[in-house]
Structures are given as C-alpha cells and as structure tokens.
Amino acid sequence: MNPIFIAVIYGLVQGLSEFLPISSSAHLALMPFFLELRDPGVAFDLCLHIGTALAVLIYFRQSVLAIGRQAVPSLVRWSDESAGLCRARHFVLATLASVLLILALRPFTAPFRGPWMIAGQQLVFGLLLWAADLWQRRPGKALHGFGHFSTARALPDAVIIGLAQALAIFPGVSRSGITLTAALFRGIERREAAAFSFLLSLPIIIAGALVELPALLRSGLGEDGLFILGLGVAVSFVSGILTIHFFMRLIGRINLGWFTLYRVGLAGLLVFLLLRS
C-alpha cells in the first residue's frame, strides 16, 4: 500500500481518536490487523502524537503559557491559593502522579497490545465511561463548575485524574476516556474536565515521543521516511485541532453513551474477526 496513503490514514485516525474517548492507541494498534499492513510500531505511533500535542498547544496556548510561567512558583509558594497558582500546581501534581504510575506499569504493557486484550479494554472502559456519564447526570447531582481546577479544593481530583491517565498506557483504555471517566465520577463539569484532560496530555505525549524518536531516526528513515513521518504528524495536527474545537463545543450536551456504543461495537467486530481467523 502507498506509504503516503498510510501516513495520511494513520495521522487522520490519530487526530480524531486522541481527543475522543475511543482510544487512539487501540485504533493505531488495530489498523495493521484490519488493513493487513505491517505495524509501523510504537515509535511511529508516538511520533504521530506530536501532531496532536501541537494541536493542544495551539488551541490552549493561553493556558499553556500561564501554567508554564506559574509551575515553579506554584510549588514554591505552596500556601498561596490564588487561581493561577492553584491551576498550575494541580497540573504539575497530576502530571507527576501519571509519570510515577506509568513507570510502575510500563513493564507489564506488552501482553496488553494484542487484539484480544484491546477488545476487552475497549469494552470494559467504554462501559465505565457510560457509568460515569449516568452517575453525573443523576437528578440533583451537584457539580464542580468551570474553574474548579483553579481552586485549592481540586487537589485530590487532579491527582486522581493524573493516576487515571496512567492507565492509558494500555491500548484500548483511552487516555481522554479514562480521564473524563475519573472527572465525571468526581463530579466535575464536563467542559472543565475536558479542558484539564487535554492539557494533561501534553507532558506525557511529548515525553513519550522524545523517548522513542531517537530509536526511530536510527532505524534509517531516509528522506522519504522523514517526509512520510512529517506528513502523518501534519495530518494528525490538523484533524486534532478540529476535533478539539468541535468536542469542546459539544461536550456539555452530548451523551457519552454514544462513544460507549461505538466502543462496544468495535470490540464486538474485533472479536468476530478474531474468531473467524
């Protein structure tokens, strides 16, 4: 199959699925299975994440700049509970929680990249997302409104969401899905939860891509290979920023059960194909 076509398809899938609660890593891992392609590997997948990381940087540029300026002061001036320092502090601590748990879980990820395990994780964590959506929609349920992460009381929520994010190291879990699930169970308003979730993806995505990029370059990509990789990153950036834009507009009123239905359907299709093979 034409490498340019493959790069475009991979970039498009990454850009769409990174910010929707359907697991981008699962879709990238399953594409060779469905399209009978040679798996380009985890390193290529992670490089595509650079495009979606750039999408987050551009879309949330004001928040990123504010957090960047206030990250160190937020830790040094721990007793200061001003809005900007609280938000930066929660971002740093959530990221630290993610990194520590990812390092602890990383030795156990290999067996979970197979199609059977991806199908199971799509199903289980899709149903968990639906349960969280129903939990938050209960009549009379009080929610933490927009700006919650700029208050000191959000500290436990930030750490819990950071720990939840680490579970996305397993394909099929969905990083945005599991962070939204944790936030909904904690009673956080959807738009606030989505914005914090997308911002929280930045350090993990960038760190993962930087770790894998040298190995990918040493594999001898050549000019053509670099062009193909760059094309995939560009497509993931454009599709990613469009997905963020429309998802942020819809998250307040959309029923997340539709994503659960999609995940259950994908898991069922995968099981069917596995049983036939």
Side-chain angles (χ1 to χ4, degrees):
M1 192 174 290
N2 190 304
I4 293 179
F5 175 78
I6 294 174
V8 170
I9 293 298
Y10 267 80
L12 185 61
V13 169
Q14 167 62 25
L16 291 172
S17 59
E18 172 64 30
F19 302 112
L20 300 178
I22 56 176
S23 179
S24 62
S25 58
H27 283 73
L28 293 175
L30 290 174
M31 282 181 65
F33 181 81
F34 283 117
L35 301 180
E36 298 182 353
L37 303 173
R38 183 178 64 85
D39 189 348
V42 177
F44 183 78
D45 293 356
L46 285 171
C47 286
L48 291 182
H49 282 67
I50 294 176
T52 45
L54 289 173
V56 175
L57 281 170
I58 297 299
Y59 193 88
F60 295 102
R61 55 192 177 277
Q62 293 182 345
S63 295
V64 171
L65 289 173
I67 290 173
R69 289 194 300 265
Q70 297 171 322
V72 173
S74 72
L75 300 179
V76 174
R77 294 153 53 186
W78 190 267
S79 60
D80 190 330
E81 296 183 355
S82 59
L85 291 183
C86 279
R87 193 168 186 86
R89 184 180 302 128
H90 297 151
F91 177 84
V92 171
L93 294 177
T95 299
L96 181 60
S98 288
V99 169
L100 292 176
L101 188 54
I102 286 171
L103 292 175
L105 294 175
R106 194 171 183 180
F108 309 101
T109 58
F112 292 87
R113 194 169 171 83
W116 282 104
M117 293 303 300
I118 291 175
Q121 287 159 173
Q122 277 279 29
L123 175 63
V124 171
F125 288 95
L127 292 173
L128 193 60
L129 174 66
W130 187 34
D133 187 47
L134 293 174
W135 171 266
Q136 191 181 90
R137 288 176 179 273
R138 290 178 303 158
K141 173 68 176 176
L143 300 179
H144 301 299
F146 195 75
H148 174 62
F149 288 105
S150 298
T151 65
R153 65 179 181 275
L155 178 58
D157 300 326
V159 173
I160 289 171
I161 293 170
L163 292 171
Q165 177 176 245
L167 298 179
I169 196 172
F170 301 105
V173 172
S174 172
R175 193 207 57 79
S176 62
I178 193 62
T179 51
L180 277 176
T181 297
L184 293 177
F185 273 129
R186 296 293 296 176
I188 299 170
E189 186 267 337
R190 290 154 172 253
R191 187 175 170 83
E192 175 79 343
F196 190 74
S197 169
F198 293 160
L199 284 169
L200 199 58
S201 70
L202 273 176
I204 303 302
I205 292 174
I206 294 173
L210 290 177
V211 167
E212 297 293 344
L213 188 57
L216 188 65
L217 295 176
R218 285 197 302 269
S219 66
L221 286 171
E223 292 184 5
D224 291 342
L226 286 173
F227 170 76
I228 295 300
L229 181 61
L231 178 61
V233 171
V235 173
S236 70
F237 165 72
V238 174
S239 57
I241 203 166
L242 290 173
T243 303
I244 293 173
H245 174 71
F246 287 107
F247 189 70
M248 289 298 294
R249 290 172 64 92
L250 294 173
I251 184 62
R253 57 182 183 271
I254 193 171
N255 188 330
L256 297 180
W258 290 110
F259 295 108
T260 296
L261 184 62
Y262 172 84
R263 293 177 66 145
V264 171
L266 181 62
L269 175 60
L270 182 55
V271 170
F272 173 75
L273 293 174
L274 287 169
L275 292 174
R276 289 190 60 188
S277 63

